[in-house]
Amino acid sequence: MVVLESSCSFPERPWDVAIWHNLYRDEWTDLELHKGPPNDVPIAVSEKSAKECFRYSFTAEIPFPPSGKHAAFTIKYRTDTSAKWQWMNEQFGTKDGEIIIEPYDLPSKWNPRSLDKYLLSLNTDFDIKPQRSEAPGALLWTITGQIGPAVNRESKTTNMILGMPNEFVRTFSLVRMWAPWLAPRHGAASFNLNEDSILSSFVYKDGVVLVLLAVSGIDNVSTVFRSGPGGDIIVFSQNDDNHESKTQVLAATASSFEIAVASVIYEARKMMRSYSTISHDIPLQGDEPKAQWFSEWYDGLSYCTWNALGQNLTEEKILNALKPLKEHGIGISNLIIDDGWQSLDNKNQSQFKRGMTRFEADEQAFPHGLRQTVSRIRQENPNIKHIAVWHALMGYWGGISPNGDIATKYKTIEVERTDRAADSKTVIIDPDDISRFYTDFYSFLSSAGIDSVKTDAQFFLDILKDANIRKRCKSHILHVPGTPDNFPLPAPKQQTASSAEKLR
């Protein structure tokens, strides 16, 4: 649809509007648009604006659009059949518009080198193998390379050129703008990244979409994408392990971005499941947790204290915030008590300099303890089914207080961090004792009436400076029941809800 405006200062004219395009073959041609009813203009206008100009809508359908086509178009218009055509790109200095039509289907032949069409000069140091995609309509490949072991507590890193994306018209990447935060980056006809990317994609002139996913977390290898000076795709990997390992990338082509993304994500999930079942160094204590689905979480309305109450939480603030919601008939089924409930050291200092001192809530803000607060919440708000609490993966933003009750009961170590928001050294639970710490912590939460957690600051694992410590933390923490990849909180007497997690 094209909407045309003309000033009411001039007489109303019949107007002709057309689309000038090269959709069929490479020859440019007209697509005549037809004027719609006077009121068929999907633009909200003020009464004053409606009196100042005439508005018209023009529409048409493209007959038999070709499969897998990239074309350009512009708009031309004239006051009547005897007037000269005016061109949109000339009048307003705009670029031609683009049309990308998806292909009807993709070749079904599984050819390991068929990526050559979309990635020129593929690096033969990579092993490229076709895989069966779980997303119908996508072609899938695994791309692996070798990376050496860490040496003297220093990670081994590699930069390997994968190839050059060929004649694409759009590119999208999901980058790590900082360790905790992901952000989108878009481009047209050039691949140029200023940050590391975990997913990069390209739309080609034939309508095919290529998606590349960097696989991290297997065998203590982290992988991202970077761009070279000439637009090459560079695979950057970091190995924390003391033996040679693999750099792993997934690639998929499909007729749409959604299908290609689904293909690489499904495959990555399979890879992670397979890895978690054959690893490991750390035996699970008790029965292995299994993922569970709770429709009341995703179907119900959840309320988080963060945006409304911030970090200065108290029992009364939480109760007072819930009261008007109840009075106005807003039924909250899930409550998340966010950052600010814990007992911390270094009061009035930056959150990154504060450490967790004990499991129990802050005694001034929650004078009768967390269990009393949860009991009052449930008593006054019987519609609330689940109550979660926030906690950082390592306790708090500043880890564990070296002078608190926790430090006297559990083994701790001092680690160096590489992030920009904290002092370089932080005290954390020693990985050898992390299982006991989390078992006790979640047992305390369960006894207080908490049935789920929001685990924040998971990026902490990526900003540990020492490769060996980083490896130990990942190996131990990610295989402890109740922590990020194992959802249920331990509850000796009853089944509990899954954790509400967040990667910040």
Side-chain angles (χ1 to χ4, degrees), residues 303-306 308-326 332 334-342 361 365-366 369-370 372-378 380-381 384 387-390 450:
Y303 175 77
C304 179
T305 61
W306 176 254
L309 304 179
Q311 288 175 305
N312 297 318
L313 285 181
T314 67
E315 178 182 289
E316 290 305 314
K317 283 184 179 180
I318 296 173
L319 293 170
N320 290 338
L322 294 173
K323 189 176 298 183
L325 296 175
K326 178 182 177 182
I332 303 298
N334 312 304
L335 171 67
I336 302 174
I337 301 175
D338 212 281
D339 190 354
W341 67 272
Q342 290 169 294
F366 302 84
L370 184 62
Q372 165 74 10
T373 299
V374 172
S375 178
R376 288 192 61 187
I377 290 172
R378 293 190 184 280
E380 296 180 17
N381 303 270
I384 293 180
I387 300 178
V389 292
W390 175 100
I450 299 298

Side-chain angles (χ1 to χ4, degrees), residues 42-63:
I43 296 180
V45 296
S46 66
E47 185 177 344
K48 179 181 178 181
S49 298
K51 294 178 180 179
E52 292 179 348
C53 62
F54 300 110
R55 281 186 172 84
Y56 314 92
S57 66
F58 296 84
T59 60
E61 290 187 3
I62 299 176

Side-chain angles (χ1 to χ4, degrees), residues 429-445:
I429 300 294
D430 189 295
D432 291 341
D433 215 13
I434 198 70
S435 179
R436 187 168 67 93
F437 168 80
Y438 265 111
T439 297
D440 293 347
F441 182 32
Y442 282 167
S443 293
F444 161 77
L445 293 177

Side-chain angles (χ1 to χ4, degrees), residues 273 288-294 485-488 498:
R273 281 177 178 169
E288 181 179 351
K290 294 181 173 60
Q292 301 172 64
W293 304 99
F294 293 83
D485 67 343
N486 299 304
F487 299 140
S498 61

